[in-house]
Amino acid sequence: MKTLNLTIQRQAVYDVVRKSEDHPTAADVMNRLVEQGYNLAYGTVYNSLRYLTDKELIRELKLGETASRYDARMDDHQHIMCEVCGRVDEVMTEVPPQWMQQVAAETGYAIDHAHVVFGGVCGECRNKRIK
């Protein structure tokens, strides 16, 4: 069993990520904490995000060259990112087993999980382009 040391600061950071549906960046987490009346240093927020990630309470998403995003949903799922506005949404479609087998055959790796990030243009941005 994992030993957790959820300080008040870590709990506050965890609560922000857990209640967010938009996969916040560290800066987003910091801004939401300020809105809630917390006065935490950036280092505390970053260290808390690292701790929560290491303890597998949240997942760090490294999506391209943008800042890391954070997700408290730990079940197996994928993500899709808008290439215009940077919006990130969850995709519940499973990675096909044949993909995993093909990657294993091509690379010689023993694949134990996959995280696929799809790219495209969200409906809102697509509608803005049409107008």
Side-chain angles (χ1 to χ4, degrees):
M1 183 170 164
K2 297 175 194 157
T3 304
L4 294 178
N5 180 15
L6 285 183
T7 61
I8 292 169
Q9 296 87 346
R10 289 175 182 162
Q11 185 66 56
V13 170
Y14 180 54
D15 289 343
V16 167
V17 175
R18 195 168 40 87
K19 293 175 184 171
S20 298
E21 295 183 11
D22 62 344
H23 306 85
T25 63
D28 294 332
V29 171
M30 184 69 172
N31 291 337
R32 291 171 194 176
L33 288 167
V34 168
E35 289 170 3
Q36 294 175 18
Y38 288 94
N39 186 20
L40 303 179
Y42 273 104
T44 301
V45 172
Y46 282 105
N47 290 337
S48 296
L49 290 166
R50 173 64 37 226
Y51 178 85
L52 295 167
T53 301
D54 290 346
K55 293 296 182 179
E56 298 179 352
L57 293 173
I58 64 173
R59 180 183 302 175
E60 180 179 13
L61 304 174
K62 296 179 182 180
L63 306 173
E65 296 179 17
T66 62
S68 291
R69 311 280 291 251
Y70 295 90
D71 188 359
R73 189 167 185 168
M74 297 301 289
D75 60 337
D76 192 24
H77 65 283
Q78 315 315 312
H79 292 90
I80 188 164
M81 183 173 175
C82 179
E83 296 167 348
V84 176
C85 69
R87 173 181 168 167
V88 177
D89 288 306
E90 293 173 336
V91 177
M92 301 315 294
T93 304
E94 291 183 29
V95 174
Q98 58 270 30
W99 286 12
M100 306 269 279
Q101 294 164 357
Q102 185 173 349
V103 170
E106 287 178 17
T107 63
Y109 278 65
I111 309 290
D112 58 4
H113 69 280
H115 179 233
V116 177
V117 178
F118 297 92
V121 179
C122 71
E124 192 172 317
C125 290
R126 203 172 56 249
N127 289 336
K128 287 179 186 175
R129 285 183 176 176
I130 294 172
K131 294 180 180 180

